[in-house]
Amino acid sequence: MDSFEELPDKIVSLDQVRINRGIEKICKCDKRTFVIDPANRRINCNSCGAVVDPYDAMYELAAKGERMKESVERLLEQRKQIANYKPWLKVIKNLEKQYRGRKMIPNCPRCHEPFYLEEIVHWTGKPYADARIKKYKTTNSD
């Protein structure tokens, strides 16, 4: 029981390390960019200059990287769609859509007689056809 007599009456406080749980994060910038200080091994916010936790900085950079990768993939897909876009096929696709089921049959734009698309067996070069169409329009507009 001698050991109880040696105990001090008061507790001596060691204030070398304390946890302050009520403090919020110093930097609250929305779109942060970071400045790395290699001499002091710190990361600071480029906007407000506050010290940023390295884990938070790495997490934000990784999240931005994922978003950028998704954006790049989406842009590449759009690029492929644009590269595969052939405006001259719009006319053919429109004809096919109207012709499907053989419920509608096109008419000749000049004589207005109906015809089946299967009847198209000859093709003409565009410059020659443009000249013929122009001549037809001028002679028939009078």
Side-chain angles (χ1 to χ4, degrees):
M1 297 271 175
D2 293 330
S3 62
F4 285 116
E5 293 173 6
E6 296 174 11
L7 291 175
D9 293 335
K10 293 183 180 180
I11 297 176
V12 178
S13 175
L14 300 175
D15 283 337
Q16 293 178 348
V17 177
R18 289 186 330 166
I19 299 174
N20 191 345
R21 291 184 175 90
I23 296 178
E24 294 182 17
K25 290 192 176 204
I26 296 171
C27 177
K28 294 183 181 181
C29 299
D30 287 333
K31 295 182 179 181
R32 294 196 283 193
T33 57
F34 303 108
V35 177
I36 298 174
D37 179 0
N40 296 309
R41 300 177 55 97
R42 289 193 308 188
I43 299 175
N44 294 35
C45 173
N46 194 32
S47 300
C48 66
V51 175
V52 178
D53 179 63
Y55 175 83
D56 290 343
M58 291 298 293
Y59 185 83
E60 280 187 42
L61 291 172
K64 283 181 186 177
E66 287 177 357
R67 285 192 302 270
M68 283 192 286
K69 182 182 175 195
E70 290 169 3
S71 294
V72 168
E73 287 173 358
R74 197 169 44 254
L75 288 170
L76 284 174
E77 182 60 33
Q78 288 177 359
R79 183 179 182 272
K80 286 178 188 176
Q81 289 175 357
I82 290 170
N84 291 330
Y85 174 69
K86 296 172 179 51
W88 58 89
L89 290 181
K90 283 181 82 172
V91 173
I92 300 299
K93 287 181 181 180
N94 191 24
L95 280 174
E96 181 213 6
K97 183 176 160 185
Q98 292 176 359
Y99 194 63
R100 194 173 293 147
R102 295 184 129 209
K103 294 179 183 172
M104 299 292 287
I105 296 174
N107 291 338
C108 173
R110 284 169 212 48
C111 68
H112 304 290
E113 290 294 318
F115 67 95
Y116 292 105
L117 291 179
E118 294 87 10
E119 294 180 63
I120 300 174
V121 292
H122 292 85
W123 293 81
T124 304
K126 185 165 175 14
Y128 178 74
D130 288 341
R132 290 283 307 253
I133 292 168
K134 183 177 180 183
K135 182 180 176 185
Y136 176 83
K137 285 182 179 179
T138 57
T139 58
N140 290 329
S141 66
D142 295 335

